[in-house]
Amino acid sequence: MAMDKLYEFLTGPALWITVIIFAGGLAIRLAWLFGLSQERDKPWHDFKSAVWAWRSIIHWVLPWASVSSRNQPVFTGAVWVFHICWIGVPLFLGAHNMLFEQAWGWSLPSLPDAVADWASLAVIACGVFFLLRRLSRPEVRILTSAWDYTLVLLALAPFVTGWLAFNQYGPYGLMLNLHIFLSEVLLIVLPFSKLAHMVLFFASRSAIGYEFGTRRGARVW
């Protein structure tokens, strides 16, 4: 009974609070950064170019398209798989789409459960690889703080608990509630941490495209 009440709270009031903080936090951060750029780099706004913005974005989204990504092929592959699965599984998981339909009256196409299951394992495996890389490579370890390790673990936690709940390892009700709770914590933290790069990446790559492409006539990949 306690687990049921907790589930109702997490999928009800807590979910709406999470969505408001997540969306509002991202909007405020984007607006603040845009205002800061207008104040400190006014000439940059005179060189905006959608063509150079998309060229910059695409060359960094596609695996091994940029020179720096080709210099680290294994890491680049892991990053690409991680991000595709990390974003794709929550959006296209069948169980999530049932919740979308119940809450908002719409849903997205759903992945087969087996595909989502393996994609979740891929996220976990890549996350473990990132942690080991940070621990083993001195040039990465020296730049890594305790908070960075926490963010990696937080990004993995919903997938670990979701995979355990789906495959019914451990108490199902506990794993399900942990999965929802940790997912909501992740979404609340995301706009105010380095994890916001999931959105800010497009802004920063566009800015670099403007700077080097339109302003300097050179590419940076």
Side-chain angles (χ1 to χ4, degrees), residues 4-169:
D4 292 339
K5 290 183 178 179
L6 180 58
Y7 175 82
E8 291 177 3
F9 171 75
L10 291 173
T11 57
L15 177 60
W16 283 107
I17 292 170
T18 298
V19 170
I20 291 170
I21 294 175
F22 171 73
L26 279 178
I28 291 171
R29 188 165 183 184
L30 283 169
W32 178 75
L33 289 172
F34 182 77
L36 191 65
S37 72
Q38 287 186 313
E39 176 187 337
R40 298 188 180 181
D41 194 11
K42 292 181 180 179
W44 173 83
H45 289 273
D46 297 328
F47 295 92
K48 291 178 182 177
S49 167
V51 173
W52 277 101
W54 280 110
R55 288 183 69 179
S56 178
I57 290 169
I58 290 170
H59 272 83
W60 283 88
V61 167
L62 294 177
W64 308 291
S66 65
V67 173
S68 62
S69 66
R70 290 196 294 272
N71 288 335
Q72 303 183 79
V74 176
F75 175 66
T76 297
V79 167
W80 191 79
V81 170
F82 177 85
H83 283 86
I84 291 295
C85 296
W86 193 86
I87 295 171
V89 170
L91 288 178
F92 300 107
L93 186 69
H96 288 180
N97 275 291
M98 290 175 61
L99 295 175
F100 296 159
E101 184 68 37
Q102 293 173 5
W104 298 302
W106 58 267
S107 62
L108 298 169
S110 296
L111 290 169
D113 287 343
V115 173
D117 196 43
W118 281 105
S120 296
L121 287 176
V123 169
I124 296 168
C126 290
V128 171
F129 169 73
F130 297 150
L131 286 171
L132 293 176
R133 179 177 178 270
R134 285 181 178 274
L135 290 168
S136 62
R137 298 193 59 167
E139 71 273 20
V140 182
R141 186 173 64 246
I142 196 172
L143 298 174
T144 304
S145 66
W147 179 236
D148 292 322
Y149 289 115
T150 301
L151 289 177
V152 175
L153 293 173
L154 184 56
L156 294 179
F159 288 86
V160 174
T161 51
W163 187 84
L164 291 172
F166 175 77
N167 290 281
Q168 298 190 19
Y169 293 118

Side-chain angles (χ1 to χ4, degrees), residues 147-205:
W147 179 236
D148 292 322
Y149 289 115
T150 301
L151 289 177
V152 175
L153 293 173
L154 184 56
L156 294 179
F159 288 86
V160 174
T161 51
W163 187 84
L164 291 172
F166 175 77
N167 290 281
Q168 298 190 19
Y169 293 118
Y172 176 75
L174 174 62
M175 290 301 165
L176 180 61
N177 283 331
L178 274 175
H179 170 66
I180 299 170
F181 171 73
L182 291 169
S183 299
E184 292 176 349
V185 171
L186 174 63
L187 289 175
I188 289 172
V189 169
L190 192 149
F192 312 103
S193 68
K194 293 180 181 179
L195 295 176
H197 75 265
M198 66 175 291
V199 173
L200 299 180
F201 163 82
F202 297 96
S204 62
R205 288 313 312 177

